[in-house]
Amino acid sequence: MKKSNLRAWQVLFLFAAVLTYFVLPSGRNQNKNYEKNQSMPSPALACTSSICKASLFSARQTNTLKTVVKNKEKIASSALANQKPEQAAGYCLSVPVLLYHHIQPQSEAIRKGQASLSVDNGFFDRQMQYLLENGYNTINAPTLINALLSRTPLPPKSILVTIDDGYKDAFEYAFPILQKYRITANFMIATGLTGGEDNMSWDQISQIKQSGLAYFVNHTWSHYAVSNGSADKIQYEIQTGKKQLEEHTGQSVNIFAYPYGSFNNNAIEILKNNGFIGAFSTIPGFLQCDSFIMTLHRTHIGNASLSSYGL
């Protein structure tokens, strides 16, 4: 064998030895680790204690809640866009019902992702001033509903201001403006959300009640879309919201507002069976009739002059 060929074989042999020593054992160890990992259950699957299961459920529940909160503005905006006024029948009154959700600085609304359902507090101030200066008479929900039931007229330029969901900004920004102009407002409260990070506390609700400028409307316990779920679930949401609102405000509660504007005949029947005499939808329009007293109309208000809405 030639010397050059021998040297080539020696180099090749040395390379093979190095490969065997450093690479193959590593491969065997990786394979053992893979098999070990495959035989061990994941932390989620290994969780068998009641505490661990509760922890996992809580995590899933928290993630679900975050998704619901994130999508809430989008859901409500979609509901508002897809509804049409009902046909006039029976005894009717032309009474605008203004629909608000958040009242806060626009910069805050954008930061929180709430701009689609928010009115800047500066605009809200000018809108309430407009009502006062143009002779509007702000009334509460029972006044409107009782007028429809008894078929009696209301004072000229009667109007309702409604603020949904019980957000903290209603206390921080809207309430001082209502006091400034002595405007009566109707607060649609989801009682189970009270005291949450973005919602009013019961103490704040009590302060609004003591002003004499507020009426509180049942908006379910958890802001639940009552067109969904079982009759028992709908009943629980309605009854719990009513009970808690009455306990904390000392006010009789027999008027309802549909979360997301979502309703059906089943929900209406359950409300009637629980003693409710009227309810508010998010269907736009100024005309209110006793024929649809359980789905009264409301006009969603944005960052614009109230004159642009026909007022």
Side-chain angles (χ1 to χ4, degrees):
M1 181 180 294
K2 291 183 180 181
K3 190 177 288 186
S4 59
N5 289 341
L6 178 61
R7 186 175 292 112
W9 278 105
Q10 286 174 338
V11 171
L12 184 61
F13 178 81
L14 182 61
F15 178 78
V18 171
L19 183 66
T20 301
Y21 182 81
F22 288 102
V23 178
L24 294 183
S26 175
R28 284 197 299 271
N29 289 339
Q30 289 176 357
N31 187 57
K32 286 180 180 178
N33 289 336
Y34 174 78
E35 291 173 352
K36 183 179 179 182
N37 291 336
Q38 286 295 93
S39 64
M40 290 180 64
S42 68
L45 294 175
C47 181
T48 56
S49 71
S50 59
I51 295 175
C52 188
K53 285 180 179 179
S55 177
L56 287 171
F57 174 76
S58 178
R60 288 194 298 268
Q61 192 177 43
T62 300
N63 290 335
T64 300
L65 180 58
K66 286 179 180 177
T67 302
V68 169
V69 171
K70 184 178 180 181
N71 292 333
K72 186 175 179 181
E73 311 302 322
K74 183 177 179 181
I75 293 168
S77 295
S78 176
L80 288 168
N82 293 329
Q83 294 174 336
K84 297 179 181 179
E86 297 172 87
Q87 293 297 315
Y91 183 73
C92 299
L93 295 168
S94 180
V95 180
V97 181
L98 310 185
L99 169 57
Y100 295 92
H101 284 82
H102 293 281
I103 314 292
Q104 60 189 332
Q106 186 69 3
S107 58
E108 282 291 293
I110 293 170
R111 183 180 64 82
K112 295 178 181 178
Q114 298 168 344
S116 64
L117 290 176
S118 187
V119 170
D120 180 79
N121 53 307
F123 263 107
F124 185 73
D125 187 296
R126 291 192 290 275
Q127 289 168 351
M128 296 304 101
Q129 182 181 12
Y130 180 90
L131 293 179
L132 181 66
E133 291 178 349
N134 286 273
Y136 280 94
N137 177 37
T138 55
I139 63 175
N140 62 25
T143 300
L144 169 61
I145 289 169
N146 288 329
L148 291 173
L149 290 173
S150 63
R151 299 196 165 198
T152 56
L154 287 170
K157 289 197 166 184
S158 290
I159 194 169
L160 277 77
V161 174
T162 67
I163 305 176
D164 281 22
D165 301 342
Y167 291 117
K168 192 178 293 183
D169 53 58
F171 180 79
E172 294 175 346
Y173 296 105
F175 181 47
I177 294 169
L178 297 172
Q179 289 180 302
K180 177 181 177 181
Y181 297 110
R182 303 305 296 171
I183 298 290
T184 296
N186 300 267
F187 294 84
M188 284 45 178
I189 304 295
T191 59
L193 304 184
T194 302
E197 182 180 354
D198 204 30
N199 290 76
M200 290 190 286
S201 66
W202 284 116
D203 180 64
Q204 290 169 332
I205 289 172
S206 178
Q207 289 182 55
I208 293 174
K209 177 71 169 65
Q210 289 169 14
S211 72
L213 296 173
Y215 180 82
F216 297 94
V217 174
N218 187 352
H219 204 38
T220 74
W221 174 68
S222 70
H223 200 269
Y224 182 75
V226 294
S227 60
N228 301 325
S230 66
D232 286 345
K233 171 62 174 172
I234 296 168
Q235 185 104 338
Y236 176 82
E237 289 283 338
I238 291 168
Q239 289 183 338
T240 305
K242 173 182 169 68
K243 181 175 182 292
Q244 292 181 343
L245 207 50
E246 288 181 337
E247 286 176 350
H248 286 279
T249 66
Q251 172 201 287
S252 176
V253 176
N254 59 0
I255 298 171
F256 190 78
Y258 300 101
Y260 307 107
S262 175
F263 63 88
N264 59 16
N265 290 335
N266 181 51
I268 291 172
E269 192 63 28
I270 292 172
L271 283 167
K272 288 180 177 179
N273 291 339
N274 280 272
F276 285 81
I277 60 173
F280 290 91
S281 69
T282 55
I283 299 171
F286 289 176
L287 198 64
Q288 316 296 346
C289 300
D290 59 359
S291 60
F292 53 84
I293 201 165
M294 297 303 292
T295 55
L296 294 171
H297 298 163
R298 294 196 287 168
T299 299
H300 188 245
I301 303 299
N303 290 310
S305 168
L306 289 183
S307 62
S308 66
Y309 295 92
L311 297 175

